[in-house]
Amino acid sequence: VQRADVAMHDAPPAQAGRGRVLNRLCEAELERRAGRFDPAAVAAQAALDAAQALALPNDAALAAQLSALIAIDAGRGELAQARWQMAQELAGCVAGRCVLDSPERLQLRAQWLARQGEFERAFAVLDAALGDAGWTAGMLALPGLEGMHGDPRWPGLQQKLASRMAVDGTPPVLAR
């Protein structure tokens, strides 16, 4: 992430600014996956602040959404709820579909729902997202989905993804 920041030095200002926002989002997700929630929260907040300063509402919404997941992982329920609501408002989700509903972002919504214990809705979101070409087996290994692994619907979801990823009619084996 630091090398990417250095590479942004010579980019045009708008591109460099957005690049730094995206780098902070990547840093936040990496820290979150490593279980380092305080540094993850700092990186997500930096992304949110920078996105708002640069008037990038979609990126600000993604930062707020990631911040909500970090907060729930860290056991900060009230902050998580507030950040999730902020993400919805920043992205204009109140009025319907928004950037947070794109297939590559639905995994964050599914993780949120799973962490809230709303498995029925989380499975529906994952099922809808699996048809997107950007989905890979790694998406089902996301930390926020772990609570769903014991559900009897999980193997079917894995099989659906494996079938979509099949090469020459032979689906890959997806680990649990």
Side-chain angles (χ1 to χ4, degrees):
V1 173
Q2 290 174 341
R3 278 188 247 165
D5 279 342
V6 171
M8 290 289 130
H9 179 70
D10 294 327
Q15 183 181 354
R18 180 149 196 264
R20 284 198 240 346
V21 170
L22 297 177
N23 288 346
R24 293 293 76 73
L25 287 171
C26 289
E27 179 183 355
E29 181 61 24
L30 290 171
E31 294 290 359
R32 175 180 172 246
R33 289 186 187 195
R36 295 187 294 263
F37 303 126
D38 288 338
V42 169
Q45 184 64 50
L48 178 59
D49 293 344
Q52 288 181 313
L54 293 167
L56 300 169
N58 288 346
D59 291 339
L62 295 174
Q65 189 179 47
L66 183 54
S67 180
L69 288 169
I70 293 164
I72 201 168
D73 288 345
R76 299 178 190 133
E78 287 183 24
L79 176 60
Q81 288 290 345
R83 286 302 170 100
W84 190 261
Q85 184 61 39
M86 175 192 282
Q88 304 300 302
E89 291 169 4
L90 286 168
C93 293
V94 177
R97 292 189 57 81
C98 64
V99 67
L100 302 179
D101 293 324
S102 64
E104 66 274 8
R105 299 293 174 217
L106 284 176
Q107 52 91 3
L108 293 174
R109 184 179 302 277
Q111 288 182 72
W112 172 260
L113 292 167
R115 291 299 309 258
Q116 298 293 319
E118 295 185 41
F119 288 174
E120 191 69 37
R121 289 178 60 203
F123 274 107
V125 167
L126 288 174
D127 192 55
L130 282 179
D132 185 76
W135 267 73
T136 66
M139 296 290 206
L140 293 182
L142 294 167
L145 302 177
E146 291 170 349
M148 298 172 69
H149 292 187
D151 189 287
R153 294 170 287 188
W154 188 256
L157 197 64
Q158 288 181 305
Q159 186 57 44
K160 182 176 180 176
L161 180 59
S163 294
R164 188 187 57 81
M165 295 172 53
V167 177
D168 296 329
T170 307
V173 176
L174 301 179
R176 208 178 215 254

